[in-house]
């Protein structure tokens, strides 16, 4: 059910902000605690990267997020209670040594666990 005309629940918005803040700050400890144990990040290349590998590469400096500017936010809720948050961003990042402004559409699936929204997976595509 599309919910783009309904404000994003505050607790979900807070988790989303913590996710992006963790990326910008390179706070892999915070991200490790925030993201689901089996979280995956699908890059715009199609590579599905497990959480542990992505966080290790962030610690190694292979992924450095300088800024993430949100251009548009939309969300949908599913019958099973999960939510897909889709955000268009301009992400200033250094990826494997190349710094660029990446125009990314980040689609993140969130599920509630113990009354807390938990990012399950993110798929990044270009826009």
């Amino acid at each position: 059910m599309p919910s783009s005309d309904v404000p994003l629940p505050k607790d979900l918005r807070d988790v989303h902000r913590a996710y992006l803040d963790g990326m910008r700050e390179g706070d892999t400890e915070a991200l490790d605690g925030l993201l689901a144990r089996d979280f995956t990040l699908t890059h715009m290349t199609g590579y599905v990267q497990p959480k542990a590998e992505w966080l290790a590469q962030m610690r190694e400096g292979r992924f450095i997020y300088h800024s993430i500017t949100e251009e548009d936010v939309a969300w949908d809720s599913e019958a099973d209670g999960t939510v897909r948050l889709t955000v268009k961003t301009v992400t200033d990042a250094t990826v494997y040594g190349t710094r660029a402004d990446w125009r990314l559409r980040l689609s993140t699936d969130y599920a509630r666990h113990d009354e807390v929204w938990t990012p399950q997976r993110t798929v990044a595509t270009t826009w």
Side-chain angles (χ1 to χ4, degrees):
M1 155 183 221
S3 303
S4 297
D5 294 334
V6 177
L8 189 64
K10 182 183 181 330
D11 58 342
L12 180 56
R13 185 66 162 163
D14 290 346
V15 171
H16 169 67
R17 285 266 175 241
Y19 178 21
L20 296 184
D21 288 347
M23 290 172 63
R24 276 189 294 262
E25 295 165 9
D27 190 344
T28 58
E29 285 186 36
L31 288 169
D32 191 34
L34 180 74
L35 304 172
R37 184 174 37 84
D38 58 351
F39 175 87
T40 59
L41 171 62
T42 303
H43 293 275
M44 60 188 199
T45 61
Y47 177 64
V48 180
Q49 188 170 39
K51 174 175 89 168
E53 181 182 305
W54 179 49
L55 297 180
Q57 289 188 347
M58 285 180 67
R59 284 189 291 276
E60 294 166 359
R62 293 184 187 186
F63 289 92
I64 302 169
Y65 301 94
H66 307 285
S67 68
I68 302 170
T69 304
E70 294 175 88
E71 298 290 324
D72 185 49
V73 177
W75 63 286
D76 295 312
S77 58
E78 303 296 328
D80 66 359
T82 61
V83 169
R84 175 165 293 155
L85 181 62
T86 303
V87 182
K88 282 183 173 179
T89 70
V90 177
T91 301
D92 175 9
T94 301
V95 178
Y96 297 115
T98 301
R99 186 170 182 173
D101 284 334
W102 309 88
R103 298 171 70 81
L104 299 176
R105 177 179 287 111
L106 304 176
S107 294
T108 303
D109 293 340
Y110 288 85
R112 284 182 81 73
H113 294 287
D114 299 324
E115 299 303 312
V116 176
W117 288 106
T118 304
Q120 303 297 302
R121 74 180 189 125
T122 296
V123 176
T125 56
T126 59
W127 62 275

